[in-house]
Amino acid sequence: MKDKFISIFEENIQRDGSTELLNWLKKSDFFTAPASTKYHLSREGGLCEHSIHVYERLLNYVTREMIDVSAETIAICGLLHDVCKVDFYKTELRNAKDEYGQWVKVPYYTVEDKLPYGHGEKSVYIVSGFMRLSREEAMAIRWHMGSFDDSVRGGSYTLNNAFERYPLSLMLHIADLEATYLDEKE
């Protein structure tokens, strides 16, 4: 999956700073981190795999809806929406019974958020440290969690406004949901 991610990235993203961003990703745990602690692709490499799934879903959705969005924007949003999860998970051990009923130590993922800046906004912040995002890209990445975002509990006029003004935000949210719940069933 790492090679596929890098290939999609290099083929589509040529913006100033993109090489530095990709180099940073290569030095980080992006390609070995899980996508989540237990909800989807909670295994080594899950984050990279999830990012590719979201990119593919977003590409298909934008193509089907005939929305005028560049290949670069699709790649940026799909591949980079969850960079907030870089260096976010750590592995710990817990006791669990094996198939013979014996207690053994097994690894599991926990969260260690060293930069508690939110989810989507943290990804925007990280990417923007390397390359400039368009307003539409920033909005899509910021709001890709939709109503699952902690800041949206109970409804949000801001989320509705983002989805209405920036359709790519809604498309990325849907692509993320489809990837999570349709492509990544465990």
Side-chain angles (χ1 to χ4, degrees):
M1 286 288 173
K2 179 180 180 178
D3 291 339
K4 184 174 183 177
F5 179 97
I6 291 170
S7 176
I8 295 167
F9 187 105
E10 290 178 335
E11 183 178 312
N12 293 287
I13 305 174
Q14 303 335 217
R15 198 167 293 177
D16 287 345
S18 63
T19 301
E20 292 78 9
L21 175 55
L22 183 57
N23 287 337
W24 177 77
L25 289 172
K26 289 176 182 177
K27 292 175 189 169
S28 76
D29 70 347
F30 180 84
F31 296 103
T32 58
S36 70
T37 56
K38 59 186 173 188
Y39 301 106
H40 64 110
L41 296 181
S42 57
R43 62 174 183 260
E44 186 171 313
L47 179 56
C48 175
E49 184 177 348
H50 171 70
S51 299
I52 291 169
H53 291 161
V54 173
Y55 163 77
E56 290 170 341
R57 287 280 184 172
L58 183 60
L59 178 62
N60 288 335
Y61 193 48
V62 168
T63 302
R64 184 179 70 231
E65 297 299 319
M66 296 184 290
I67 304 297
D68 186 22
V69 177
S70 73
E72 184 174 52
T73 290
I74 295 166
I76 287 169
C77 293
L79 295 178
L80 303 175
H81 74 284
D82 270 348
V83 295
C84 59
K85 295 179 179 182
V86 167
D87 297 326
F88 184 71
Y89 298 108
K90 68 178 187 174
T91 305
E92 293 187 1
L93 296 174
R94 68 174 173 211
N95 292 321
K97 288 191 176 184
D98 65 13
E99 65 270 14
Y100 306 107
Q102 301 297 314
W103 287 102
V104 295
K105 296 226 180 261
V106 296
Y108 71 102
Y109 292 109
T110 62
V111 169
E112 185 177 59
D113 193 354
K114 297 172 189 157
L115 182 62
Y117 196 52
H119 186 86
E121 53 267 61
K122 182 175 170 182
S123 289
V124 170
Y125 176 77
I126 291 168
V127 173
S128 294
F130 293 94
M131 62 186 196
R132 187 171 176 87
L133 293 173
S134 71
R135 183 162 294 168
E136 185 176 32
E137 293 162 350
M139 289 294 171
I141 294 170
R142 163 58 183 101
W143 291 108
H144 79 269
M145 291 295 291
S147 60
F148 291 99
D149 190 291
D150 288 337
S151 69
V152 179
R153 299 293 180 229
S156 169
Y157 291 112
T158 308
L159 173 62
N160 291 336
N161 193 12
F163 283 173
E164 286 177 6
R165 290 179 183 259
Y166 303 97
L168 185 63
S169 298
L170 178 59
M171 290 182 201
L172 181 59
H173 174 56
I174 292 168
D176 191 29
L177 288 173
E178 289 177 340
T180 300
Y181 293 104
L182 300 177
D183 300 335
E184 300 165 4
K185 289 188 211 174
E186 301 208 350

